[in-house]
Amino acid sequence: MKIIDGKTLAENLRKNIANEVKQYSRPPGLAVLLVGDDQASQVYVRNKSRACVEVGFYSDQIHKSANITQEELLSEVQRLNENNNIDGILVQLPLPSHIDANEIIEAIIPEKDVDGFSSENVGKLSLNKPFISPCTPKGVIKMLDSIKCDLRGKDCVIIGASNIVGRPMAMEFLNAGATVQVCHKETKDIKQKTKSADIIVAAAGVANLVNSEWVKEGAVIIDVGINRLEDGSMTGDVDFDDVKDTVSAISPVPGGVGPMTIAVLLENTLTAYQAKL
Ligand code: NAD
């Protein structure tokens, strides 16, 4: 059984990015916009900004109060769209409930949409003409590549159908020649579907949802889930100990998809920068 070591893969990707950045006179710039005081979001934003600085990017962290209006946030995005030192703009989700997150995401020009969430970038991925694609699914593909998992003709089951993970993941798999099923809260008998899958991506946000009864011998599992348990520890959507003797490869939590997501965000920022050059 192989452990798909996202931490080391991400370190290598970051090293390559750092080397590439050295050749440019102006550093790529990423602006991370945080609204409100959500603790988890603050940690994510800090980690993203730190990762930027480590590879030699310029990082701009903008923190706005939770009672910012839609118009004020839109004009902040507009200011960043027009700033020549900023190549990528990331709005940390979730946004407060009075804000229309969709409108904010669509206000970021696609050339700077390094999360790849805008309809233009999602559309390009769906047409198999990707420009900047959502970080987590793109990171998952890199993780599967790292174990030389040929996706052509494989049966893939994704648990979770969100705009940021499940849906773009389905497009990535389709583009790679796999056959895809996407399960969600309304799906009947998910176990019966995962049981015949070559590759399972678990992204429901439900601790230990997937156990050995859901998995066929030799399957590959990528665990995207991040769940905090009562004792403060972190776990994925997969019962790692229960499935480890059944699978051929699995990504751990922590140390799997999480670090890859941040490394791909840096890669997307570099792509945006290079496209502008
Ligand atoms: P979300 O809440 O937006 O979507 C969850 C999806 O899972 C929905 O489609 C829902 O229908 C489905 N779902 C929920 N419960 C289910 C169940 N019992 N059975 C089947 N489907 C179910 O969440 P999200 O933003 O897509 O994130 C999913 C998980 O992945 C979370 O734990 C999140 O923290 C994690 N995540 C990790 C990374 C990373 O970098 N590692 C990135 C993004 C999200």
Side-chain angles (χ1 to χ4, degrees):
M1 189 268 294
K2 276 185 216 159
I3 302 277
I4 308 174
D5 180 359
K7 192 162 172 264
T8 304
L9 277 175
E11 269 164 26
N12 290 337
L13 185 54
R14 291 204 308 263
K15 267 186 211 149
N16 292 342
I17 293 168
N19 277 332
E20 202 146 336
V21 168
K22 283 182 191 150
Q23 66 181 294
Y24 300 117
S25 51
R26 177 182 75 78
L30 175 68
V32 181
L33 193 47
L34 172 68
V35 181
D37 300 313
D38 181 72
Q39 292 281 311
S41 292
Q42 287 186 19
V43 174
Y44 293 143
V45 166
R46 213 175 312 133
N47 289 344
K48 287 168 187 172
S49 298
R50 194 180 300 143
C52 265
V53 173
E54 275 170 16
V55 295
F57 285 7
Y58 163 66
S59 160
D60 191 5
Q61 228 188 95
I62 302 148
H63 193 173
K64 295 285 172 191
S65 98
N67 55 22
I68 190 170
T69 65
Q70 183 81 12
E71 287 66 34
E72 285 165 341
L73 196 51
L74 281 172
S75 55
E76 190 61 42
V77 169
Q78 194 50 34
R79 190 180 65 78
L80 293 168
N81 280 340
E82 289 162 8
N83 183 336
N84 283 330
N85 290 320
I86 295 298
D87 305 283
I89 304 168
L90 180 152
V91 177
Q92 185 64 43
L93 301 176
L95 289 168
S97 55
H98 68 279
I99 298 285
D100 177 351
N102 229 5
E103 191 186 15
I104 301 296
I105 289 166
E106 295 294 351
I108 301 171
I109 53 170
E111 293 82 1
K112 294 193 181 188
D113 164 36
V114 284
D115 254 339
F117 293 161
S118 66
S119 33
E120 182 166 325
N121 283 326
V122 172
K124 284 184 172 164
L125 176 66
S126 304
L127 296 172
N128 200 8
K129 292 177 182 164
F131 168 49
I132 293 174
S133 309
C135 304
T136 301
K138 196 171 158 190
V140 170
I141 296 291
K142 286 179 190 288
M143 292 168 84
L144 293 168
D145 281 349
S146 77
I147 56 159
K148 304 200 170 18
C149 179
D150 183 0
L151 293 168
R152 282 172 301 173
K154 292 279 161 54
D155 289 323
C156 301
V157 172
I158 302 163
I159 311 171
S162 71
N163 287 349
I164 66 168
V165 188
R167 284 163 196 263
M169 189 74 251
M171 290 305 146
E172 291 280 5
F173 278 143
L174 207 51
N175 293 346
T179 303
V180 193
Q181 277 184 296
V182 186
C183 305
H184 45 79
K185 273 200 293 242
E186 311 295 340
T187 305
K188 286 178 287 185
D189 202 0
I190 299 180
K191 182 161 94 171
Q192 173 254 327
K193 296 170 177 53
T194 54
K195 193 82 194 156
S196 59
D198 301 309
I199 297 159
I200 300 168
V201 173
V206 179
N208 299 325
L209 178 68
V210 178
N211 59 42
S212 58
E213 287 177 18
W214 290 45
V215 180
K216 82 170 175 189
E217 193 74 37
V220 174
I221 303 186
I222 303 287
D223 192 352
V224 178
I226 300 175
N227 307 291
R228 284 265 168 220
L229 299 181
E230 273 177 15
D231 64 5
S233 65
M234 187 197 281
T235 187
D237 286 1
V238 181
D239 186 339
F240 186 95
D241 288 333
D242 193 48
V243 303
K244 69 179 188 319
D245 296 328
T246 310
V247 297
S248 63
I250 183 167
S251 70
V253 177
V257 177
M260 279 305 284
T261 297
I262 295 189
V264 173
L265 171 69
L266 301 174
E267 187 181 63
N268 280 353
T269 305
L270 187 60
T271 302
Y273 174 89
Q274 288 168 333
K276 203 158 87 181
L277 287 183

